[in-house]
Amino acid sequence: MTAAQTSAMRPVVVGAGWSGLACAISLVLRGHRPLVLDAAPHAGGRARSFTHALGSAPVELDNGQHLLLGGYRATLDLMQTVGVDCTSAFTRSPFALTYPDGWRLAAADLPAPLHLAAALLGARGPTLAERWSLTRWSLRHARSGWRYHAADGPAAALFAGEPAGLVRRLWRPLCLAALNVELEDASAHILLNVLRDSLGARARDSALLVPRIGLSRLFPEAAIAWLTAHGAEVRLHSTVTALEVGDSGAGHALCVRGERLAAGSIVLALPADRAADLLANVNAALEPASQMLRAVRFAPIATVYLRYAAGTRLTYPVLTLQDDPRQGHHGQWAFDRGARDPAMDGIVSVVISGEGPYRALDRDALGQTIALQLRSALGLPAPLGYTAITEKHATIVPAPGLRRPDAVLPVAGLYLAGDAADSPYPSTIEGSVRSGIAAAAAIGPP
Ligand SMILES: Cc1cc2nc3c(=O)[nH]c(=O)nc-3n(C[C@H](O)[C@H](O)[C@H](O)COP(=O)(O)OP(=O)(O)OC[C@H]3O[C@@H](n4cnc5c(N)ncnc54)[C@H](O)[C@@H]3O)c2cc1C
């Protein structure tokens, strides 16, 4: 805040998830002293950690296992800005899909596109016909700039005629991991954008980054310390219940626990349904955005954490599992958390993306069934303890033709960030961070 920027003129960021924090940091870098409000007692929103008893000992767990990509440039830059050492914070490995039965497709640590060519040559499991088909498919889409020329449709159409084994082992798992829905329910445009920025980009962009520390320490805690040290104010336990929008694009206000807070501009860095609530019945110009946000649907993600005896190791730090809900095999990915983090020795996390029959199971039954799946697929013994966390609103459903409001709302001084705002990306950390930075850029200097 410059000397002239009073609290009535300061930007207020509603939401201290990764998008809100990214926005606030960018605002500070532009000379503002924003106020950040969050309803929760902690920052980080959908990507945060907490301490939980697992087996006999408490451990720092994330609300969901997260995987970042080397191409998450905005996120990695921002982490560095707030003082996080990105080299030690992640385990970085070339992009790979490895199944317990030995099927493996792994990008080599070579300049693009050699990293993918080497992946095809060195693959274990795909037939010659599958390799040939994958080569043709990748070249065709790389040549067309990863653009889908038809109007948006289900991503399944991108793989019509491709070998069923490849769809099952490669494209479906990638779609579930990145978009959190089945190929039939995913937007072809959005999936191609993700593939362009990962597999279609430089080898280091497609690298898998598995956090070695809890998500809260990875960014939100460092971000809050940095913001506070740089003159911003962060208030937790502060649910915004209403907006007041000034006529002339200035003089906005927010209600927080009965208190009225003035704001020069407001960024709603909130999930779509929360943003829809706050924008409803405020100003006729905001109604279309509110209704569009109301129509956004959400998809769940479940993470099951299992503790095994110290020293228990998976054959690879990240394994792709073949799910088969009819057999009770719901798990899709298994992460050996102890592989490079001694504090997590013996802990395996298993991820289930999107909707599925697992949703009918309670936490205990889900933990038990995943333990049985790991016994059958990986030969692991009964775990010493487990817990399951299902985030019902983990991501938006990136359906074909999905419409989200523009980040710059049609009332001056009001902005959206996070996966509620229009974007070429699905709900990801990088998408959220970029949207927060874009909202700060739209606000401009003080
Ligand atoms: C289980 C799980 C696994 C995931 N895996 C991955 C992954 O592997 N890779 C990846 O890139 N992405 C992943 N994601 C997605 C990623 O976590 C989210 O896209 C991202 O964290 C969203 O950040 P955000 O700031 O946009 O929103 P949020 O994190 O939802 O932040 C919104 C904030 O607003 C606050 N809030 C809500 N209402 C109010 C109100 N009225 N007043 C004040 N504050 C309010 C909330 O408390 C919250 O802190 C995953 C998400 C989940 C849940």
Side-chain angles (χ1 to χ4, degrees), residues 14-21 37-40 42-47 63-68 72 177 238-241 269-271 274 278 301-303 389 391 393-395 417-420 426-430 432 435:
V14 186
W18 290 53
S19 65
L21 293 170
L37 302 167
D38 199 290
H42 43 70
R46 277 172 274 169
N63 66 312
Q65 173 68 55
H66 278 59
L67 185 66
L68 286 75
Y72 278 21
S238 297
T239 307
V240 174
T241 50
L270 298 173
R274 304 296 163 84
L278 286 179
I301 300 180
T303 306
I389 305 165
E391 287 274 5
H393 281 194
T395 67
D419 52 2
S427 305
T428 59
I429 282 190
E430 177 73 359
S432 278
S435 74

Side-chain angles (χ1 to χ4, degrees), residues 113-378:
L114 290 180
H115 67 306
L116 288 185
L120 284 167
L121 285 174
R124 283 202 310 258
T127 61
L128 272 180
E130 287 172 341
R131 285 171 211 237
W132 174 232
S133 150
L134 181 53
T135 309
R136 268 185 330 188
W137 192 95
S138 307
L139 286 175
R140 189 165 74 243
H141 286 282
R143 254 190 248 116
S144 68
W146 302 90
R147 268 186 226 104
Y148 189 55
H149 293 294
D152 199 5
L158 295 171
F159 308 104
E162 294 300 308
L166 213 49
V167 174
R168 182 167 47 86
R169 295 262 198 178
L170 174 65
W171 299 121
R172 175 180 175 262
L174 283 187
C175 181
L176 276 166
L179 273 65
N180 201 26
V181 289
E182 298 283 351
L183 285 165
E184 292 73 21
D185 303 320
S187 150
H189 282 163
I190 296 181
L191 182 60
L192 281 179
N193 290 339
V194 170
L195 294 176
R196 176 197 62 210
D197 291 355
S198 49
L199 297 188
R202 298 173 303 174
R204 68 168 196 243
D205 291 331
S206 66
L208 305 178
L209 308 187
V210 181
R212 295 174 73 174
I213 53 176
L215 287 171
S216 292
R217 280 193 287 144
L218 200 59
F219 177 61
E221 285 172 7
I224 293 211
W226 188 93
L227 283 167
T228 312
H230 288 79
E233 190 186 347
V234 182
R235 291 193 207 170
L236 303 175
H237 296 284
S238 297
T239 307
V240 174
T241 50
L243 299 184
E244 273 176 37
V245 172
D247 289 337
S248 58
H252 302 319
L254 311 96
C255 294
V256 179
R257 289 189 297 185
E259 191 186 352
R260 185 178 179 280
L261 297 173
S265 48
I266 298 175
V267 180
L268 298 180
L270 298 173
D273 52 345
R274 304 296 163 84
D277 290 345
L278 286 179
L279 292 175
N281 306 319
V282 173
N283 179 310
L286 295 170
E287 280 312 307
S290 175
Q291 279 164 24
M292 209 184 276
L293 289 168
R294 184 81 58 213
V296 170
R297 290 178 294 127
F298 297 92
I301 300 180
T303 306
V304 180
Y305 291 97
L306 306 101
R307 186 191 282 282
Y308 293 93
T312 303
R313 287 278 82 83
L314 303 186
T315 44
Y316 285 90
V318 183
L319 285 173
T320 315
L321 303 174
Q322 295 204 61
D323 57 332
D324 182 357
R326 285 165 310 175
Q327 288 189 53
H329 293 179
H330 304 282
Q332 296 158 349
W333 298 86
F335 293 78
D336 181 348
R337 295 300 307 262
R340 290 187 187 85
D341 179 1
M344 300 290 271
D345 193 17
I347 294 177
V348 173
S349 59
V350 173
V351 177
I352 312 169
S353 293
E355 287 291 352
Y358 76 92
R359 296 270 277 128
L361 304 177
D362 64 22
R363 180 187 294 220
D364 201 43
L366 184 54
Q368 276 177 28
T369 190
I370 293 294
L372 289 173
Q373 180 181 357
L374 295 191
R375 181 194 289 189
S376 141
L378 309 178

